[in-house]
Amino acid sequence: MGGSQGEHGMPRRAEGRPSIVAVAAAAGVSPTTVSHALSGTRPVRDETRERVLRAAERLGYSPNPIASGLRLQRTGVVGFASDHVATSAFAGRILQGAQDVARERGMLLMAVDSEGDADLEDRQLRSLADHRVDGIMVARMFHQVVGRPAAIGRIPVVLVDAVPAEGWRVASVAPDEPGIAATAVARLLAAGHRRIAFANTTDEAPASRGREAGFRAAVAEAGLGARALVEYGASDAGGGRVAGMRLLDRPAQDRPTAVVCFNDQMAMGVYQAAAALGLDVPRDCSVVGVDDLEIVAAALVPALTTVALPHREMGRSGMSALLDRIERGEGEADAAEPAFLRCELIERGSVGPPP
């Protein structure tokens, strides 16, 4: 029993999706031209591509992703490996941004989260490699240095909210840490402050080093370097309270009129130190945080002016870079310099003129 005839007398599949042969017959071109027009792997004249697209839409044809993957030796799946990103209130936006781009470009995202367990992450990376993912995004909850995992083999990799350890050349995306502090200082200078301090964390990481370097450079450029104070504490409210007391418990003429904080949690501690000393924010001391952690920044009274980290943008940028590298067949030797993304100031109520 013969099969049904399509347009131009060409055969169509009796069941399931229409074949590429049927699309070629409907468009009056070869199956190879249809493949090139739909995949973009070879140049095709615009009018021919339009004819192919109209025929494919009319017949309800879509390429078989499994067959395409076999031809390209790809699976159409990318891995996402993180430490605490998927369980963090705000850094999970990295995953959202990566998922957005993967979906837009027809890729499936396979995510794993080690919760900071290095041995578990190694096993997860090996599992992703065993599943023959086309590439892996390695993301971190906070900006840090990452060494090359042995488990990844030759799979294309991009780091997000991280930079590679010395000797590992790999694409990476992270916040512009010096720019974060410079943005905060610029806002305080615009409000008229000239005694500006920095409450930094004792944690040794690219974020703490970069933000302090940016702070010192910004106040020095404004001619205020000799009057700038820096104190340290843990990167939580308790640490901010300790640093805040050291900065604010001094005579009015020596006391900073504004404090830039390493993060929003430390800013909460500076608020507490100010209250303990009978000082009002922002009447007696303006405060700027970093992160835009809404459960802290929006809940403080007054609400905290802060510099938001570009988590979703980092996820989008990192996934775009990873998929571009996969499509171009690039290896580690082709990696570009790290991309550092600009961070936006979120205005609320904690900045005012100096007393």
Side-chain angles (χ1 to χ4, degrees):
M1 182 177 290
S4 63
Q5 297 294 308
E7 295 186 45
H8 300 281
M10 296 299 290
R12 291 185 59 177
R13 295 180 184 176
E15 298 179 357
R17 73 176 73 207
S19 69
I20 194 171
V21 174
V23 177
V29 297
S30 70
T32 300
T33 300
V34 172
S35 177
H36 293 332
L38 296 178
S39 67
T41 53
R42 296 282 181 85
V44 175
R45 294 175 61 184
D46 289 343
E47 62 185 53
T48 302
R49 179 179 291 104
E50 286 298 319
R51 198 160 69 246
V52 169
L53 292 174
R54 286 197 301 271
E57 182 179 4
R58 187 167 65 249
L59 296 174
Y61 173 82
S62 62
N64 185 327
I66 296 177
S68 299
L70 289 173
R71 287 194 299 272
L72 297 171
Q73 294 186 323
R74 296 178 190 160
T75 61
V77 179
V78 288
F80 179 97
S82 67
D83 50 2
H84 294 90
V85 170
T87 54
S88 170
F90 60 91
R93 297 171 190 165
I94 293 177
L95 179 56
Q96 293 173 336
Q99 177 67 67
D100 289 344
V101 173
R103 183 174 57 250
E104 290 164 6
R105 295 177 61 168
M107 301 290 282
L108 178 66
L109 192 65
M110 182 183 294
V112 294
D113 194 314
S114 68
E115 298 185 11
D117 185 325
D119 291 336
L120 176 58
E121 180 174 78
D122 184 72
R123 293 196 300 273
Q124 290 173 336
L125 289 172
R126 291 185 188 280
S127 179
L128 290 173
D130 290 343
H131 280 81
R132 300 182 63 81
V133 296
D134 296 332
I136 299 175
M137 174 185 288
V138 176
R140 289 291 181 259
M141 182 180 68
F142 62 89
H143 188 177
Q144 57 192 271
V145 177
V146 174
R148 189 185 193 283
I152 63 174
R154 298 177 62 84
I155 299 172
V157 173
V158 167
L159 302 180
V160 172
D161 210 4
V163 291
E166 188 174 355
W168 184 22
R169 183 170 173 78
V170 65
S172 61
V173 181
D176 176 6
E177 304 292 1
I180 287 172
T183 295
V185 170
R187 174 66 184 91
L188 295 169
L189 290 172
H193 292 276
R194 292 298 177 266
R195 295 200 303 272
I196 304 172
F198 184 47
N200 198 5
T201 178
T202 52
D203 299 336
E204 180 65 18
S208 57
R209 293 193 300 269
R211 291 173 201 178
E212 182 169 336
F215 170 80
R216 292 187 182 279
V219 294
E221 184 176 351
L224 308 175
R227 306 177 72 182
L229 297 171
V230 179
E231 287 291 350
Y232 303 88
S235 57
D236 56 20
R241 191 163 55 248
V242 168
M245 290 297 291
R246 292 173 182 160
L247 291 169
L248 300 177
D249 189 12
R250 58 186 70 216
Q253 67 272 18
D254 299 326
R255 187 171 61 230
T257 62
V259 180
V260 177
C261 301
F262 171 77
N263 62 16
D264 293 347
Q265 291 165 302
M266 291 192 75
M268 181 192 299
V270 171
Y271 271 52
Q272 294 169 352
L277 295 169
L279 303 175
D280 178 79
V281 175
R283 186 188 64 218
D284 300 308
C285 179
S286 292
V287 180
V288 179
V290 178
D291 276 348
D292 193 28
L293 183 57
E294 291 184 13
I295 58 173
V296 173
L300 289 171
V301 181
L304 179 66
T305 293
T306 185
V307 182
L309 296 181
H311 292 106
R312 193 158 193 157
E313 293 79 4
M314 286 192 291
R316 289 191 61 89
S317 178
M319 183 56 66
S320 295
L322 179 60
L323 297 183
D324 288 346
R325 292 172 63 76
I326 292 169
E327 290 177 3
R328 293 193 296 259
E330 292 180 344
E332 289 185 3
D334 303 305
E337 292 298 314
F340 296 108
L341 303 189
R342 178 183 173 276
C343 303
E344 180 185 2
L345 182 77
I346 307 299
E347 287 276 7
R348 293 195 177 95
S350 63
V351 174

